[in-house]
Amino acid sequence: HPFRGDDWGTVIFRITSADPPPIRDLAPEVPEALVYVVQQALAKEPEVRYQSLRDILLDTEPILARLRQEQATATVVGAHALAAEGHLDAALAAVRQALEMDPLNESGRQLREELRNEIQKKVVRIRIDAMLLEADALEERRCYTDALQVLEKALSLDKSDKGVTSRLDVLNKR
């Protein structure tokens, strides 16, 4: 509330005769364009004030869009830091949040794709490692055909995995 007082009479007097405190006194980081909107909305003279909510929206929507872009950019920077620390899931969540604020943020879109690929690689690695353990157990029990099938399935997940290809080579020679 821009006008305060101990009683209604004081409040009404201040509304009609005093200028409200500048918005920057309350929030110094407010963009200049928003300062103008607030001043115009609180103007004493009716002809200076906004004539409709639509006019206010036309002036505030670009401000809000710019603020969202700035916040999205800062969030993507934070997501890069999280990714660098190895917190891929948290980084992906931050990027998604940034893209909700600014769907056109190209840096966020690129980072999102990189994170998704990295997370997928980790999931595949975990599955391949589990399959290698399974193949070891099958080999120990001399179930070579089953071990080969497991290794071939592991290779289908990542054709470039040298560990799987070398294990297949060894097992095929038996």
Side-chain angles (χ1 to χ4, degrees):
H1 300 282
F3 303 100
R4 297 183 184 273
D6 294 333
D7 56 59
W8 284 108
T10 304
V11 172
I12 291 171
F13 174 76
R14 289 183 179 163
I15 289 172
T16 59
S17 62
D19 287 329
I23 188 105
R24 286 229 166 115
D25 287 357
L26 301 170
E29 70 282 356
V30 169
E32 187 61 40
L34 187 55
V35 169
Y36 170 78
V37 169
V38 170
Q39 285 173 340
Q40 190 172 352
L42 296 175
K44 299 281 180 235
E45 304 80 24
E47 47 288 335
V48 176
R49 281 195 304 262
Y50 283 103
Q51 300 304 305
S52 70
L53 179 58
R54 182 181 262 325
D55 288 337
I56 294 173
L57 289 174
L58 286 172
D59 284 351
T60 56
E61 284 174 349
I63 299 166
L64 183 57
R66 189 173 341 105
L67 290 172
R68 282 183 180 145
Q69 287 173 338
E70 291 170 4
Q71 184 62 44
T73 299
T75 302
V76 169
V77 169
H80 275 287
L82 287 169
E85 294 170 0
H87 305 295
L88 302 182
D89 290 331
L92 185 58
V95 167
R96 286 181 178 147
Q97 183 182 27
L99 291 174
E100 287 172 7
M101 287 182 270
D102 179 15
L104 300 177
N105 186 301
E106 194 57 40
S107 176
R109 291 201 161 283
Q110 182 180 354
L111 180 57
R112 178 175 169 252
E113 190 61 32
E114 291 170 8
L115 289 168
R116 288 170 54 185
N117 289 338
E118 197 61 35
I119 289 169
Q120 183 179 7
K121 283 180 190 177
K122 282 188 167 198
V123 168
V124 166
R125 180 76 257 156
I126 291 168
R127 286 189 63 203
I128 289 173
D129 289 345
M131 290 174 167
L132 289 171
L133 290 174
E134 182 182 354
D136 287 343
L138 288 167
E139 247 186 294
E140 283 181 26
R141 293 193 322 247
R142 297 179 190 257
C143 301
Y144 300 118
T145 304
D146 293 340
L148 273 171
Q149 287 176 345
V150 170
L151 289 172
E152 286 170 355
K153 189 174 178 182
L155 189 61
S156 73
L157 294 175
D158 182 1
K159 304 233 184 285
S160 66
D161 191 298
K162 303 288 186 209
V164 174
T165 54
S166 67
R167 293 280 306 278
L168 270 169
D169 290 342
V170 168
L171 199 55
N172 277 324
K173 292 178 183 175
R174 288 189 167 184

